[in-house]
Amino acid sequence: MEKIEHKMVTVNGLNMHVAELGEGPLVLFLHGFPQLWYTWRHQILFMAERGYRAVAPDLRGYGDTTGAPLEDPSKFSHLHVVGDLIELLEAIGPGGDKVFVVGHDWGALIAWLLCLYRPDKVKALVNISVAFSPRDRVMKPLDALRSVYGDDYYMCRFQEPGEIEAEFAQIGAKEVVKNFLAYRTPGPLILPKGKEFGYSADRPSWLAEEELDYYARKFEKTGFTGGVNYYRAINLSWELGAPWLKAKVNLPVKFIVGEFDLTYHMPGVKEYVHNGGFKMDVPLLQEVVVVEGAAHFVVEERPDEISEHIYSFLKNF
């Protein structure tokens, strides 16, 4: 990993930390929660070796990116994060050329919206774990999640500022990250109030101790507020997204999901992905890959397989 270069870029009021390697067409990698640019360490090396410029930022509120007002969740809306990326591309982009985008988890959601809001910036997309979600005209997303899963669903538990951070502080950053990354249940993640995670997972075999330590050090330094603020801004983002009601993602897309991914097993998602709804909203969807035996953090669980999937798709453009 010592080959990977690191720099700070001023964007949208932030000092954004960016990891990159290689020369050629730009591939922008977007991480999820609770992750960092480091999520893409294997793919950065892989794509750089094949003639691409791989770029992976720490998103707003994460890692070594600074300047986001953590005390104000309203500054973590989808529009803020997509705006960060537009300015980042303007700062580092090759003469305004379109770029490839690869997203996972929250990074996938942001990638969908980047393609929806600014298709002029994107050549093709590989998205992992989180399928496109058409905007419900009536029900706010947090209200919908609470009605299905209850108040102990992790996204609902994240809503009260400071509450989940205090619980995570008691557990410790390393234990929190380990438990999230090890989660393999193909169902909702429930965090019972007062019971921390309700379980303590073993470190997943695909994650070395020193890799887990990297995540732990970063979250010990920053805390988790930046990451959970994305969840606190969910309903605000829904309101701000109203102008794009029924808009479609009209870019070439490949979608990858783990067989046991909790997002894949949310009510209606499998049917949406495989029975035509997904294709209606993403007309240029070219391929759906279900990685057998893999769970939500498939990017790190199966790094070589995911790297090959990304490359085999992007090399066609």
Side-chain angles (χ1 to χ4, degrees):
M1 301 301 165
E2 63 277 1
K3 295 180 181 178
I4 297 174
E5 301 168 358
H6 298 266
K7 64 183 179 183
M8 302 299 292
V9 183
T10 301
V11 298
N12 205 16
L14 307 178
N15 292 312
M16 179 168 277
H17 169 246
V18 176
E20 70 170 288
L21 185 65
E23 296 181 357
L26 195 153
V27 185
L28 178 66
F29 289 94
L30 306 177
H31 69 80
F33 175 88
Q35 297 178 293
L36 304 162
W37 76 267
Y38 192 70
T39 300
W40 302 107
R41 58 198 179 278
H42 304 292
Q43 288 76 30
I44 290 172
L45 296 172
F46 186 97
M47 296 302 290
E49 289 171 355
R50 286 156 181 79
Y52 291 85
R53 181 186 177 193
V55 174
D58 282 335
L59 295 178
R60 170 178 292 247
Y62 281 94
D64 293 325
T65 290
T66 61
L70 300 181
E71 73 284 355
D72 186 357
S74 72
K75 302 300 185 183
F76 289 78
S77 76
H78 297 164
L79 288 182
H80 285 90
V81 184
V82 172
D84 296 344
L85 299 176
I86 294 299
E87 288 210 9
L88 175 63
L89 293 177
E90 183 69 22
I92 69 170
D97 292 347
K98 291 185 177 183
V99 304
F100 296 114
V101 179
V102 181
H104 171 254
D105 186 74
W106 262 103
L109 192 154
I110 297 301
W112 287 123
L113 297 173
L114 172 61
C115 294
L116 196 66
Y117 300 162
R118 293 298 303 271
D120 59 305
K121 293 291 186 180
V122 182
K123 188 179 299 184
L125 169 68
V126 178
N127 244 358
I128 304 166
S129 178
V130 178
F132 182 75
S133 180
R135 184 181 187 275
D136 188 306
R137 190 177 63 82
V138 177
M139 184 170 284
K140 295 180 180 181
L142 188 62
D143 299 342
L145 291 167
R146 184 172 278 114
S147 70
V148 174
Y149 297 123
D151 291 337
D152 285 343
Y153 185 57
Y154 78 105
M155 293 192 195
C156 300
R157 289 277 284 110
F158 283 0
Q159 295 306 307
E160 184 62 34
E163 184 175 279
I164 200 69
E165 290 96 324
E167 293 190 24
F168 285 171
Q170 287 185 329
I171 303 169
K174 186 171 183 177
E175 187 74 5
V176 170
V177 173
K178 181 192 68 172
N179 283 340
F180 271 110
L181 297 186
Y183 191 78
R184 294 188 58 82
T185 302
L189 174 57
I190 303 299
L191 301 180
K193 194 169 184 178
K195 295 184 179 179
E196 301 172 346
F197 271 83
Y199 69 92
S200 180
D202 293 329
R203 174 175 53 82
S205 60
W206 44 263
L207 187 71
E209 192 72 27
E210 57 267 27
E211 294 174 319
L212 177 58
D213 285 339
Y214 182 90
Y215 282 120
R217 286 196 305 272
K218 294 300 180 182
F219 282 105
E220 284 168 358
K221 179 181 177 182
T222 65
F224 291 92
T225 298
V228 298
N229 274 346
Y230 285 63
Y231 298 90
R232 291 169 182 158
I234 285 177
N235 280 355
L236 172 61
S237 294
W238 174 84
E239 295 174 12
L240 295 173
W244 291 272
L245 178 67
K246 295 186 178 180
K248 299 180 185 298
V249 175
N250 284 301
L251 294 164
V253 172
K254 179 174 185 173
F255 179 67
I256 304 168
V257 66
E259 179 185 8
F260 301 118
D261 194 317
L262 74 167
T263 65
Y264 187 51
H265 291 268
M266 294 178 74
V269 170
K270 280 188 180 181
E271 293 77 13
Y272 173 74
V273 167
H274 298 292
N275 294 348
F278 197 11
K279 182 70 172 177
M280 287 181 62
D281 293 325
V282 186
L284 299 182
L285 177 67
Q286 297 190 12
E287 189 176 359
V288 172
V289 176
V290 179
V291 181
E292 292 185 6
H296 183 67
F297 295 98
V298 63
V299 170
E300 296 183 85
E301 183 180 353
R302 304 283 183 86
D304 295 339
E305 188 174 347
I306 295 302
S307 296
E308 288 287 357
H309 276 304
I310 293 168
Y311 175 67
S312 68
F313 184 67
L314 298 188
K315 70 180 183 180
N316 297 315
F317 300 94

